[in-house]
Amino acid sequence: SSTCSALLLFISIMTMFMSGVVAIFEYDLKKIIALSTLSQLGMMMFSISLGLYELAFFHLLTHALFKALLFLCAGVLIHGAGNTQDIRSFGGLSLNFPLVTVCMNLANLSLCGVPFLAGFYSKDLIVELACQYSWGIFVLLMMFICLSLTVLYSVRLTYLSFVGSYGGGTSISVCESDYSLVGPVVILSFTSLVSGPILSWLNFPAPVLIFLPAFLKWGALFF
């Protein structure tokens, strides 16, 4: 019913918002990725509240691939950094883990919905179809704020782990030579690149026509 949909819409938006805000202030690597998962589950519930069930399932599939990649990359980093999960003790890991850095950033960009990566095909479609619904400016504004929060905690995670100065943690071991660790990461990186269009072609036999004013069309990319 419309009452249930409105209630689910409110809960899903609050879930996206709260998990995004908490992830920005979190320092535990695994907790940041877990809160990111909670945020994307909110996105799926948001899609269901609008009646877009197929899109919610599509986002579930694409999100599963690049989020599995994120967790595996986090595992390699934790293993290589002496079993510490605090990103304040990381910093400059791109020198020790160049391959994992590329793969993790690819997964992060896909999570943020950067065009033509896996997350873009599902996330952007949900956002644009939500813009066609007449839920009011509050719902649209909260949705765009939640999108920007995703980008914020992803950039913060990347900066503190790979770009910033070394945080003085335990000794770093180079474990990229272990193919049992790096092999699945490389395979999932490939799926993060190509799964979006492939699953889109399999799920939707016809292209979706969306008519929006220019400022809404560029809204997701801007935020």
Side-chain angles (χ1 to χ4, degrees):
S1 67
S2 59
T3 309
C4 290
S5 294
L7 183 63
L8 185 59
L9 180 78
F10 177 75
I11 293 172
S12 61
I13 283 184
M14 287 299 108
T15 303
M16 281 194 283
F17 180 73
M18 289 303 296
S19 54
V21 168
V22 174
I24 289 173
F25 295 98
E26 186 58 64
Y27 287 103
D28 189 311
L29 177 59
K30 286 200 294 187
K31 279 186 183 177
I32 293 171
I33 300 174
L35 285 163
S36 165
T37 308
L38 182 61
S39 174
Q40 296 310 303
L41 285 169
M43 186 63 134
M44 293 167 208
M45 291 297 119
F46 176 70
S47 178
I48 289 172
S49 71
L50 299 178
L52 307 170
Y53 312 112
E54 296 88 354
L55 267 183
F57 183 64
F58 177 39
H59 189 53
L60 175 72
L61 294 178
T62 54
H63 174 255
L65 291 168
F66 61 76
K67 191 48 66 76
L69 172 60
L70 266 177
F71 270 114
L72 282 178
C73 289
V76 174
L77 293 182
I78 291 167
H79 177 62
N83 299 325
T84 179
Q85 295 174 204
D86 194 332
I87 56 175
R88 288 171 292 190
S89 62
F90 289 176
L93 290 186
S94 55
L95 300 173
N96 298 84
F97 304 94
L99 182 62
V100 172
T101 301
V102 170
C103 295
M104 194 162 179
N105 284 326
L106 187 68
N108 265 330
L109 290 173
S110 187
L111 171 68
C112 294
V114 169
F116 311 116
L117 293 178
F120 168 77
Y121 286 88
S122 56
K123 205 170 184 179
D124 200 63
L125 205 52
I126 292 172
V127 170
E128 290 190 353
L129 285 174
C131 288
Q132 286 191 327
Y133 285 75
S134 56
W135 282 102
I137 190 69
F138 172 74
V139 171
L140 288 183
L141 193 61
M142 285 296 293
M143 180 182 69
F144 284 129
I145 287 171
C146 294
L147 290 180
S148 60
L149 288 175
T150 304
V151 178
L152 275 174
Y153 64 68
S154 298
V155 170
R156 174 179 173 268
L157 173 63
T158 300
Y159 179 77
L160 289 177
S161 300
F162 302 116
V163 183
S165 57
Y166 177 55
T170 53
S171 58
I172 305 292
S173 67
V174 180
C175 54
E176 283 199 354
S177 55
D178 187 350
Y179 294 114
S180 63
L181 279 177
V182 182
V185 169
V186 173
I187 293 167
L188 277 170
S189 300
F190 180 70
T191 61
S192 289
L193 281 171
V194 301
S195 64
I198 289 173
L199 287 171
S200 178
W201 295 329
L202 288 173
N203 281 335
F204 309 112
V208 182
L209 281 177
I210 299 170
F211 296 97
L212 288 173
F215 73 96
L216 279 179
K217 189 72 176 172
W218 285 97
L221 200 60
F222 173 77
F223 274 91

